[in-house]
Structure formats: C-alpha cells, structure tokens
Amino acid sequence: MCWSATADLVAGSGIAAIGVVCLAQVRRARDLPLAALPLLLGTHQLIEAAVWHSGGGAGPATTAWAVVAMPLLALWVPCGVLLAAPNPAPRRLLLPLAAGIATAAVLAVCIAVRPVTAEVRGHTVGYVVDLPLPGLVVAGYLLATVGALLLTTDPLLRLIGALVGAGALICFLLWKLEYVSTWCAFAAVSAVLMVGWVRRGPGKPARTPGLRTP
C-alpha cells in the first residue's frame, strides 16, 4: 500500500474488522468465501506492514504477501463467486474459474522455485517475481479476479468488480512499477462493500430510496 507501514497497519486492521462483521452476518455457508474477502485482504495489508518494517527484501513476510496476492486470490475470488451464484450457476462463471486454476498453478510454481523480492520505493513497495509470459499471466489473473465479479448476476458484486477493474487501470497508470501493491490496497478498500452484500442477502436487488417492493 502507499505511504507507510502505519498506513498499512491502520487500514489492514479496519478492513479485517469489517471482514469479521461480514462473517458474523453470513446467512448461507456457501457465501463464506466471499464474505471472508475483506478479512483476507485486511490481513494481507497487515502482512505488508511487516514487509515495510523488514525493509523489503526476500524474507518470510514478502513471500507470504506474494502467496496471498497472487495464487491465493486468483483461485479464491472465482471459487467464491461461483459458490455464491444462484443454483444452477451461469456457465460463464466457469471461464474465470478455469483461468484462476491455471493462473494460480503458474504463480504458485514461480513463487516456490524463484525468489520474490520487495523494494521500498519512497511511499510505495514494489514486488518482483520472475514470471513466464507475464502478459498472459496477468491477463489470466485479471480474468479470474475482476472477470468473475463482472460476470456474476449479482449487481453489487458487479459494482465491486467494476471498481476493482477501474482501480487496476488507475494503479497501472500511476504506479507501474508498484502496480501489484497499490492495486491490492485498492481492492482491499473496495472489499468493504461486501458488508452491503452480506446484509442485503446475496442475489437480492439493491433497494432504491423512496420505492417499495412487494
């Protein structure tokens, strides 16, 4: 995340607390993975605070951060969206799931056999991992994460997907070398909208002020 270890610590603690609230209000067991997303992303920011304190490098905190940011999220998001979808789930959701499985496998192998390093660059942290065909891997990752949210039938999840997708573009344009870190922070903040998704009830339309539904 931008700014400092303190910013990561404060933001991560707040977002993780929201994640706990989401989990406490879940009504269906199959919604747990998506409801836990703020908790996962908040914890991820706390891990990055440890990366800041260690001064970067290739230590355990850097590896843990990369595991969550790369293979875990690539698999977690499309699986969570598919589980929360109406039964039967739209077949189009199988595309981001397949992309997530393939991308997560490639990323997991890369992290296991090649060192991941972090470098503190002013008010941001840059992460470096040697990827084969990086353009293809990034495309698969975005299809798995942003694509899964955009392809669901739930309007609030689509909104979150649109925000995260816009954030990906903004972070790439502003912080190309620190893109992964800044975008994960943006995604963590966007994930707080999961509170509304959990409270409203998955699959139900968002309420419009001034209108009544029978």
Side-chain angles (χ1 to χ4, degrees), residues 126-151:
Y127 294 87
V128 178
V129 57
D130 186 17
L131 297 176
L133 301 174
L136 183 60
V137 173
V138 171
Y141 185 92
L142 292 175
L143 175 58
T145 52
V146 178
L149 293 167
L150 291 176
L151 290 174

Side-chain angles (χ1 to χ4, degrees), residues 155-211:
L156 187 50
L157 292 183
R158 289 202 303 268
L159 173 61
I160 295 173
L163 290 175
V164 174
L169 178 60
I170 292 170
C171 291
F172 180 78
L173 293 175
L174 295 181
W175 300 285
K176 188 172 182 179
L177 296 179
E178 299 83 22
Y179 165 70
V180 179
S181 173
T182 53
W183 183 52
C184 283
F186 190 96
V189 173
S190 300
V192 302
L193 292 175
M194 283 293 176
V195 174
W197 180 76
V198 171
R199 288 181 174 177
R200 186 204 65 202
K204 294 182 180 179
R207 294 183 179 179
T208 304
L211 296 179

Side-chain angles (χ1 to χ4, degrees), residues 3 51-57 118-127 178:
W3 315 126
V51 175
W52 277 97
H53 282 298
S54 67
E119 180 183 351
V120 176
R121 299 166 179 166
H123 292 298
T124 58
V125 178
Y127 294 87
E178 299 83 22

